Amino acid sequence: MVLFAQPALVPWPTANELKEGTFPLKQVSVIEGEGAQGWGRMLRSDLVANDALARNQDEILHSVRFQRDTAQGEEGYAITVEKDKVTIDAATRQGALNATQTLRQLAAKDSTGTWYWPMVHIQDAPAFAWRGTMLDVCRHFYSVDFLKRYLDVLASLKLNIFHWHLTDDQSWRVEVKKYPRLTSVGAWRTEADGSRYGGFYTQDQIKEVVAYAAARGITVVPEIEFPGHCSAAIAAYPWLGCRQDTIPVPITWGVFNDVYCVGRDSTWTFFRDVLDELVPLFPAPWFHIGGDEVPKVRWQACPDCQARMRKEDLKDEHALQAWTVKRLQDYLATKGKRLIGWDEVLEGGLDSTAIVEVWRGDEQGRKARANGNAMIRTIYFDASPANLPLDKVIAFDPLLDGDARGILGAECPVWSEGIDARSIGWYVFPRMQVYAERMWSGKVGEDIRKRTAPQIARLEQQGWIIATADKDLFRSEVSFDPGPRNWLVTAQCGRKDMDATWRMDQRSGSFTDSLRVEAPGTLLLTPRWKGEAVRDPIAITIADNLALGAKETIEPTPSPKYGHDPEHGLTDGLLGTNSYSDGLWYGWWGPDLTITIDMDSVRTLHGISIRCLQQVGAWIVLPKSVSFETSRDGKAWTTLTTATHQVPIEEAGPLVHDFIAPARTPIKARYVRAVLHNSGKLPAWHLGADGNSWVFADEVVVR
Ligand code: ACM
Ligand code: ZN
């Protein structure tokens, strides 16, 4: 006698009555009934692939039968497994597909190696209609083959919306025949090391993915970003931007000031042409226009945008944004499509028939509700496990203030700045299983971790790298060791079966937890799983600094939130990266500051420099100027120079600027001093208008 455990279904069905006895799968030979062809074939091939079903079936014994039952609703279904027959009741093809996914998960092998379905009666229907996912294919590119594998997993979890984020600053990923440069130029970027990165989908490939998803019950919702997040389009066609100047496809992340010029009619012709070509590729009744993070600084300075505002009687640039959204909405309506936008589309007033995707928090959701808009809630899956442990995903609730009014469902966006096809499994599994259960069942069962385990094991076998605990995929830290005057790299791999390789100049090797670096240069670290890289190399740059390990005095002391080394942070050789929170940058909010370096003995200097960061969206602005002084005794000081810069505050960054004081003739000095003058209050267009800006510095390099 075989004992039958509760099957490990995810998501857990609404009602599930397990009976004693089984239906042996080798007896399935006929999958029949009205409309059964599509899903029946899929179920059969899946069972064959799993060896649950013999390849050629001579013995026609029993059958899986589909019955149309209108009482099951739009997506619901019932499954009845009896000793000698299996019945699926559903009102729609979608319901039958959902039943199929449950049957796939129900198939189990007993201790004698025989596949069976347990005798059950399942009655099931979803809690939310919009069980969405979103993938950013712009920051990193994902192949069509990858997307199919991804869609397979989403379908198995009864997720039914794939929101495809197809355009952004760092790329335009969809072919538009009338504007070939969108992909010949806009789909590619030249990385810092000179390599080219990119890719795009032809219209045929888009159709292929849409059809593949549809066959699995998933609707593809395209997103084309208007009127911001469009640097790649402007790089392809500079006349789309207010300034009409040539810009590169950016290689850094963030929010960019160059947005579409909505004042000129030529831009609107472009918008309509793009929608004319792309809308027909997607049968979904919705179209996502982005609408998020639109800086207004170009519109403020653009005669065409200002003329548009006067002509349309728009009181400010927020009203111009609202006018743009409304025009897009009206145009999409002529094509039978309903507009979706990120919650910034509420800015300046929004038509109540638009759908708002809420991402900035509950306050925006309340605004959408008060305005009468339907909404999609979000939980961002690109967050590190430290910021989004699995318990937080379990606790995610799409309701707003405990109220379901206006809530279609949710999405779990994956932004791909730090993620690509190699590492995505780490971020989305097992989060996706937990999320799918919440969206389908309305709650998450206490045994969810146990039930996801077999699915996770199968995904790992298929090559997905998955977080087995709330750990980062890979973390590395580097610190200066003042004793031996060298550097220690410590690393934490997210799994025991991972390691990392290192490369510096001509030398290389592998390690799992720590590494000593003896000399300046650029070190490249690549974490691996099963011998394969799981992400691009991490670069650590160590400067050749005459002041290495020198004593530093900083007035006032920097914010404790940033730099990690209170003694040698500005003289440790380690150069801050493009990320202000990398532990290497030091930050001050507001004041001018003085950094004094004591090298312990008089040296011969050929120049001094200090690196500063600008990332305007994070309130970080280059200092106005830096004055350099030197001294032999720390009492009498000689001014070397005051270095200024030409970088406008409109340059969003992140960018690093070197303030340099060259010595025309070699200088003898023991002490070096840099005085950094804060640039002052943030300008009127900034979110933090009239507030202080930050100065970020690292490091003081003496040659
Ligand atoms: C977004 O995260 N900018 C929608
Ligand atoms: Zn303009």
Side-chain angles (χ1 to χ4, degrees):
M1 179 70 206
V2 184
L3 281 178
F4 299 103
Q6 281 282 355
L9 299 174
V10 183
W12 191 249
T14 317
N16 177 15
E17 195 185 320
L18 191 68
K19 302 189 175 135
E20 195 138 323
T22 64
F23 176 101
L25 280 189
K26 67 177 188 308
Q27 297 181 350
V28 182
S29 53
V30 180
I31 296 177
E32 60 185 356
E34 187 193 351
Q37 278 79 3
W39 60 266
R41 208 177 308 125
M42 213 165 1
L43 176 60
R44 167 180 276 281
S45 68
D46 192 63
L47 295 173
V48 169
N50 279 314
D51 277 336
L53 193 61
R55 242 156 258 273
N56 58 38
Q57 294 270 317
D58 291 333
E59 18 162 15
I60 296 181
L61 294 175
H62 305 291
S63 70
V64 178
R65 194 174 165 78
F66 170 72
Q67 311 182 145
R68 198 168 289 272
D69 173 4
T70 52
Q72 295 298 336
E74 199 52 44
E75 293 196 87
Y77 66 90
I79 295 171
T80 311
V81 179
E82 294 168 276
K83 214 172 18 251
D84 53 1
K85 73 172 191 290
V86 176
T87 313
I88 296 172
D89 294 288
T92 64
R93 176 179 164 279
Q94 193 73 26
L97 280 170
N98 288 329
T100 305
Q101 296 298 354
T102 300
L103 280 174
R104 293 173 67 187
Q105 290 190 18
L106 267 183
K109 218 194 255 189
D110 71 17
S111 53
T112 70
T114 307
W115 284 87
Y116 67 90
W117 278 318
M119 281 173 51
V120 284
H121 179 69
I122 291 174
Q123 174 62 56
D124 205 7
F128 292 97
W130 196 284
R131 301 182 301 281
T133 63
M134 187 221 81
L135 183 61
D136 161 21
V137 298
C138 298
R139 276 55 177 261
H140 281 99
F141 183 64
Y142 297 82
S143 69
V144 168
D145 281 346
F146 170 87
L147 294 177
K148 289 179 174 175
R149 289 206 298 137
Y150 197 57
L151 290 164
D152 283 341
V153 186
L154 304 185
S156 76
L157 296 168
K158 301 189 179 76
L159 296 166
N160 65 345
I161 298 284
F162 178 65
H163 164 180
W164 201 355
H165 183 81
L166 284 164
T167 69
D168 213 301
D169 293 302
Q170 295 81 4
S171 70
W172 182 287
R173 296 267 184 243
V174 52
E175 177 190 27
V176 178
K177 293 188 202 296
K178 194 159 185 180
Y179 298 97
R181 285 173 61 85
L182 286 174
T183 44
S184 68
V185 173
W188 304 92
R189 55 183 188 251
T190 304
E191 302 286 15
D193 66 359
S195 63
R196 296 277 282 164
Y197 180 87
F200 67 93
Y201 309 103
T202 64
Q203 293 191 358
D204 281 342
Q205 287 176 317
I206 296 275
K207 287 184 208 159
E208 185 184 338
V209 170
V210 168
Y212 188 90
R216 285 153 186 79
I218 296 175
T219 303
V220 175
V221 177
E223 180 186 351
I224 304 295
E225 282 267 19
F226 304 93
H229 281 296
C230 59
S231 302
I234 296 175
Y237 296 102
W239 50 266
L240 289 169
C242 287
R243 299 208 293 199
Q244 309 197 49
D245 46 4
T246 304
I247 59 168
V249 177
I251 57 169
T252 55
W253 320 124
V255 175
F256 294 82
N257 286 333
D258 285 300
V259 300
Y260 288 120
C261 177
V262 293
R264 283 196 299 275
D265 291 338
S266 51
T267 309
W268 282 96
T269 304
F270 170 83
F271 285 3
R272 282 190 294 269
D273 288 343
V274 164
L275 292 174
D276 289 349
E277 272 196 47
L278 297 186
V279 164
L281 305 178
F282 301 94
W286 314 280
F287 200 98
H288 201 306
I289 59 105
D292 57 317
E293 298 180 315
V294 186
K296 306 299 184 298
V297 17
R298 295 287 184 263
W299 292 354
Q300 278 166 348
C302 173
D304 295 309
C305 286
Q306 293 301 313
R308 176 77 73 187
M309 285 165 57
R310 283 192 300 277
K311 181 154 169 267
E312 300 292 337
D313 199 19
L314 303 169
K315 72 172 196 308
D316 59 14
E317 286 74 18
H318 300 292
L320 183 59
Q321 152 112 347
W323 176 84
T324 300
V325 171
K326 183 64 169 68
R327 271 191 112 189
L328 288 165
Q329 186 179 14
D330 291 345
Y331 194 65
L332 286 166
T334 67
K335 297 173 180 295
K337 305 291 174 180
R338 190 167 168 194
L339 177 141
I340 308 176
W342 299 106
D343 59 41
E344 286 93 332
V345 295
L346 286 160
E347 184 182 311
L350 176 66
D351 182 282
S352 65
T353 61
I355 298 171
V356 176
E357 181 158 10
V358 179
W359 72 281
R360 288 179 299 172
D362 289 358
E363 206 41 56
Q364 299 299 325
R366 292 185 194 112
K367 274 189 203 162
R369 177 173 279 164
N371 198 50
N373 295 96
M375 65 185 123
I376 300 164
R377 309 273 290 159
T378 54
I379 175 169
Y380 277 22
F381 274 7
D382 45 293
S384 75
N387 290 328
L388 185 69
L390 200 61
D391 279 338
K392 273 202 190 169
V393 183
I394 291 172
F396 170 70
D397 184 353
L399 299 189
L400 175 62
D401 300 327
D403 184 345
R405 262 183 317 138
I407 294 174
L408 301 177
E411 290 185 0
C412 50
V414 177
W415 298 101
S416 293
E417 285 93 339
I419 296 177
D420 62 23
R422 295 169 295 183
S423 59
I424 187 170
W426 193 268
Y427 295 87
V428 301
F429 305 130
R431 291 173 176 173
M432 196 69 85
Q433 282 76 11
V434 170
Y435 166 77
E437 177 144 307
R438 169 71 64 180
M439 299 312 294
W440 179 273
S441 314
K443 56 183 191 285
V444 177
E446 277 173 18
D447 58 345
I448 184 70
R449 288 170 199 266
K450 210 168 79 197
R451 276 184 288 120
T452 54
Q455 293 198 10
I456 294 306
R458 206 166 323 123
L459 290 168
E460 281 181 347
Q461 278 166 16
Q462 292 167 8
W464 297 93
I465 176 166
I466 292 175
T468 48
D470 288 331
K471 280 190 181 173
D472 286 338
L473 176 58
F474 181 77
R475 270 180 38 189
S476 60
E477 255 178 51
V478 54
S479 56
F480 173 62
D481 193 341
R485 297 170 70 78
N486 62 18
W487 296 268
L488 179 67
V489 177
T490 53
Q492 272 181 312
C493 294
R495 298 172 58 107
K496 286 195 191 70
D497 54 359
M498 283 175 65
D499 70 350
T501 60
W502 64 268
R503 195 151 57 79
M504 196 171 202
D505 301 323
Q506 304 307 318
R507 294 177 309 130
S508 62
S510 69
F511 71 108
T512 51
D513 45 22
S514 70
L515 183 68
R516 277 272 163 201
V517 183
E518 307 287 348
T522 296
L523 175 72
L524 295 174
L525 304 180
T526 308
R528 302 189 300 181
W529 182 53
K530 298 186 174 171
E532 301 276 349
V534 298
R535 53 158 294 162
D536 288 339
I538 297 159
I540 295 172
T541 308
I542 302 176
D544 198 355
N545 191 354
L546 197 62
L548 183 68
K551 184 168 175 294
E552 57 190 35
T553 311
I554 309 175
E555 278 295 327
T557 48
S559 161
K561 278 198 288 205
Y562 300 103
H564 288 170
D565 183 345
E567 271 174 54
H568 303 289
L570 295 168
T571 56
D572 58 4
L574 300 166
L575 301 187
T577 64
N578 263 343
S579 162
Y580 65 85
S581 57
D582 62 6
L584 301 173
W585 287 105
Y586 292 77
W588 295 262
W589 194 51
D592 291 349
L593 54 123
T594 305
I595 300 166
T596 309
I597 305 290
D598 174 3
M599 294 183 287
D600 227 26
S601 60
V602 173
R603 312 269 177 102
T604 305
L605 322 186
H606 295 87
I608 312 164
S609 63
I610 183 161
R611 301 167 78 248
C612 292
L613 182 71
Q614 178 153 305
Q615 188 171 347
V616 179
W619 276 245
I620 303 169
V621 183
L622 293 178
K624 196 160 47 211
S625 61
V626 180
S627 305
F628 293 93
E629 296 163 89
T630 60
S631 171
R632 281 175 179 250
D633 56 9
K635 293 188 189 98
W637 292 88
T638 309
T639 300
L640 195 51
T641 191
T642 295
T644 57
H645 68 89
Q646 301 296 324
V647 182
I649 193 168
E650 285 80 14
E651 285 299 332
L655 62 90
V656 175
H657 181 80
D658 255 316
F659 290 86
I660 301 173
R664 253 169 245 110
T665 54
I667 299 166
K668 298 258 189 232
R670 171 175 165 179
Y671 299 89
V672 165
R673 192 149 82 186
V675 181
L676 285 70
H677 304 280
N678 189 289
S679 66
K681 302 289 181 195
L682 289 162
W685 50 263
H686 195 278
L687 209 53
D690 301 325
N692 286 335
S693 61
W694 287 84
V695 166
F696 268 58
D698 182 66
E699 110 163 344
V700 181
V701 179
V702 178
R703 285 186 296 114

